[in-house]
Amino acid sequence: MQNVPLNQATFEYCAEHSTPPAALFGALERETHLRTLSPQMLSGPYQGMLLRFISLMIRPHRILEVGTFTGYAALCLAEGLDDGGILHTIEINKELGSLIHKYIREAGRETAIQVHFGDAAEVIPRLDEQFDLVFLDAGKLDYPLHYELALAKLRPGGFMLIDNVLWDGKVAGGDTKDETARALRAFNDQVHGDPRVENIILPVRDGLMLLRRTA
């Protein structure tokens, strides 16, 4: 079967023929663009709906997110929690707190989403939880550390999602000048060779890796 080229027209067609997110997410996206310096860090409607569908299929009881930003992905993932489930999300930038909590309240997710402000390398070991689903989307150079810490908390058979693994095409393109591209290339090789997991990279947005812990 011939691969379909992932050009802009194809992406726009896919987006136009996908269920849109609720109005709350549009408001959060607009405010993120108004109030932050790097709004492109937002997951956005297309990837957000993919995260939502994955969570709905898994129906996790416990979710861990590393890298909250303004909370878009956390709110998408939280829609798949089973009854009484909790999503723990970690954000290093406390200045984003008012925006994060505003939309958690508006979504009615105060009891389902727990926000931890601080360094994920310090917060993750303190969480006395076993997770069904993990989403890594913080500092890319920290991925190897966050991966190991999170994998230790992921139950066998649990799933992990890792964002930005293609880094604007620079990872697959063999870019050697971009430090982040080099680091992500090495990280992708690390995960792909890890006997504890099986993985697939989806060419969605900036590259999304999906893996399952097998051991």
Side-chain angles (χ1 to χ4, degrees), residues 102-170:
K102 173 184 176 180
Y103 282 91
I104 289 176
R105 287 193 302 271
E106 291 193 11
R109 298 286 183 184
E110 298 99 320
T111 59
I113 299 178
Q114 294 186 10
V115 185
H116 306 265
F117 292 101
D119 186 338
E122 298 175 359
V123 176
I124 296 173
R126 295 200 301 262
L127 296 176
D128 186 20
E129 299 278 11
Q130 187 175 57
F131 294 98
D132 307 295
L133 178 61
V134 173
F135 181 44
L136 299 186
D137 192 20
K140 312 313 163 191
L141 300 183
D142 294 322
Y143 270 4
L145 174 59
H146 293 166
Y147 170 74
E148 290 295 340
L149 291 173
L151 192 66
K153 301 279 187 176
L154 183 66
R155 67 167 176 81
F159 292 87
M160 186 183 298
L161 299 161
I162 308 171
D163 203 9
N164 306 113
V165 294
L166 295 179
W167 201 243
D168 197 29
K170 295 178 181 179

Side-chain angles (χ1 to χ4, degrees), residues 87-105:
L87 183 150
H88 292 269
T89 184
I90 305 169
E91 175 55 46
I92 198 166
N93 185 359
K94 292 183 180 180
E95 293 183 359
L96 294 171
S98 61
L99 187 56
I100 294 168
H101 286 295
K102 173 184 176 180
Y103 282 91
I104 289 176
R105 287 193 302 271

